[in-house]
Amino acid sequence: MIDINESVMQFLLAFVVVGPLLGAVAALLPAPPGLKGKSPEQAVLRHGVTVTGAVLIAAIVLALGFDHDHPSKMQATTDISWIPALDVRIHLGTDGISLPLLVLTALLTFLCALYSYFKMPAGPTPKAFVALLLVLESGTLASFAVLDLLLFFLAFEMVLIPMYFLIARWGGEGRTQAAWRFILYTLLGSVVMLLGLLLIGIKAGTFDMVALATDNGRSLTTSVQVIAVLAIGIGLAVKTPMWPLHSWLPDAHTAAPTVGSVLLAGVLLKMGTYGFVRILLPIAPNGFHTFAPYLAAFAVVGIIYGSLACLALAKQGAKGDLKRLIAYSSVGHMGFVLLGIATMTPTGVNGALFANIAHGLITGLLFFLVGALKDRTGTTDLDTLAEETGAALYGKAPRLGGLLAFGAVASLGLPGLAGFWGEMLALFGAFKPAGDLSRPAFLTFMAIAAFGTLLTAAYMLVVVRRVCMGAVPQEAPQLADVHTYEFAAWTPLVALTVAAGLWPKALLGLTDPAVQQLLSGGTR
């Protein structure tokens, strides 16, 4: 930790949120400011790297200046009246729950900009691509930094349009249908969510999330809380995505360009689970308690469903798409996050927050790797990768094969890597849920989820065996191994996956005090 003046911290958080938006506007200018390139296209891509790099540096400095001795306290706060008639305020702040997500978002967006500088996806002008990428970053960062319900909704919706165009204009086969399904599902969920947010704000007399969390639902009747949790929960569940509201996800991932898939899995899905923790748990605890067993039940169904879908796709002769398989694996992994939240215990919620970060790192890496495979082979079809091209990666591209195997074992939750701790803590939380929840029901959920971890190991090992360990036919085309720019984009994800697995206290030390206070009634 370094000693940074509070006004500087406020500026850093404001820059993290607004900086990408200003960079997006600059990218659309006839000659965007920043470093010059050999062509206008290269200059605007370099501008994207520069802006996202500056935002990442600001996020890291913000994390270094954060008071780690008091992670439950809202820090770097800005509170300005915006719409006095509705008591809507521009209220920003960060604590131990939101800070890791801010840094993760800034990191993944920078890595995507860096990757795109060297491997721009086929599509329209890079100007629009960079501008959309920066708007997407700004909306996501704002979702994790704002402390007003209506501002949260605006930031939550801000990411939909750029992601829609990234899929529809720079995506692959089936991109138009996938983009429409994405936007329709999320917009319909958001309409219902807005009604729930308005209900809370009107009944409580404020949209301030800190004041509402401190009140801990005392100004809301149980019936109001139940209705609000149902409405807001549907919108958040679509974004998470929770089974059975997940069907937009596989198509969106399969059609999206590589960087779109990385950001969709690594960042956008976290906005839904963050809303459960930041809004529903502290603001409407009685209503959340009513739905907690049902949320846990949907979570474990998602774990099993996602794993079985991945097993079916991984099976030889199933015409399985590797991007689609990883997308379905996200349904299972986010099921563990929802299960941890549903326990309403510090152990479970900490596990959910840890699993959020781990999933962003590991699945972001996996989508980068699958994108690299597609660039080299022209396909993500498992049968084609395993047979026609002879993609025995250990022999043909050992570093690429080793990274794919690393991502697979990290995703299945190997002890010592980041994927292990979140799922384990979620299971521990289900073993002993909040005192007034049915323990036999949650023990059943725990047993089902534990079986899901075995299924995850099964399909990931099948993928590694089929893609990495086959014999190399003599007539098979050569594959380039990891390029320098790929190494630069992927190394931070590998390093952080190992670091979080070996030293989980670095993350849990941030989240646990904030979670303890949030569950006990408020955020200061």
Side-chain angles (χ1 to χ4, degrees), residues 37-182:
K38 295 179 181 178
S39 65
E41 290 76 14
Q42 188 186 55
V44 76
L45 289 171
R46 190 169 292 181
H47 170 74
V49 176
T50 303
V51 173
T52 56
V55 172
L56 175 60
I57 292 171
I60 292 172
V61 175
L62 182 71
L64 292 174
F66 187 81
D67 185 357
H68 291 257
D69 294 329
H70 302 92
S72 60
K73 177 185 176 183
M74 280 293 172
Q75 302 180 35
T77 55
T78 299
D79 191 0
I80 304 170
S81 179
W82 184 35
I83 308 176
L86 297 177
D87 193 28
V88 177
R89 309 183 68 82
I90 299 176
H91 194 180
L92 305 177
T94 186
D95 64 356
I97 293 173
S98 57
L99 182 65
L101 290 166
L102 287 170
V103 176
L104 175 68
T105 301
L107 173 65
L108 285 178
T109 312
F110 169 70
L111 297 180
C112 286
L114 180 65
Y115 186 87
S116 299
Y117 177 75
F118 293 97
K119 193 67 181 180
M120 172 69 191
T125 168
K127 273 182 173 288
F129 177 83
V130 170
L132 290 169
L133 191 69
L134 292 172
V135 172
L136 181 68
E137 180 182 31
S138 182
T140 310
L141 289 167
S143 298
F144 299 136
V146 298
L147 298 173
D148 183 277
L149 289 179
L150 291 186
L151 277 184
F152 175 83
F153 176 78
L154 292 176
F156 198 83
E157 295 304 289
M158 184 176 168
V159 305
L160 300 185
I161 299 304
M163 181 53 72
Y164 167 81
F165 281 109
L166 285 175
I167 296 172
R169 302 302 299 275
W170 286 270
E173 185 179 353
R175 61 182 182 270
T176 302
Q177 182 180 358
W180 271 110
R181 177 172 287 191
F182 163 76

Side-chain angles (χ1 to χ4, degrees), residues 270-287:
K270 313 301 175 285
M271 294 166 61
T273 52
Y274 174 78
F276 277 105
V277 174
R278 176 64 75 199
I279 298 174
L280 296 186
L281 269 177
I283 295 176
N286 295 332

